[in-house]
Amino acid sequence: MGDRACYREFCPDCDAPVTIVDGECPDCGRELTVV
């Protein structure tokens, strides 16, 4: 039901909006883990 990249999350370090398929935050570079 839709592309997974459409779902948004926020970086726990800098609160930047990221997609759930991003491997790292585009703003601060923190590695993101998929839950």
Side-chain angles (χ1 to χ4, degrees), residues 1-33:
M1 184 171 163
D3 187 1
R4 286 178 52 88
C6 293
Y7 298 116
R8 306 290 276 179
E9 295 288 338
F10 292 92
C11 175
D13 280 358
C14 69
D15 291 327
V18 296
T19 66
I20 62 172
V21 295
D22 286 333
E24 69 180 29
C25 177
D27 284 4
C28 71
R30 177 188 165 132
E31 183 177 338
L32 303 173
T33 55

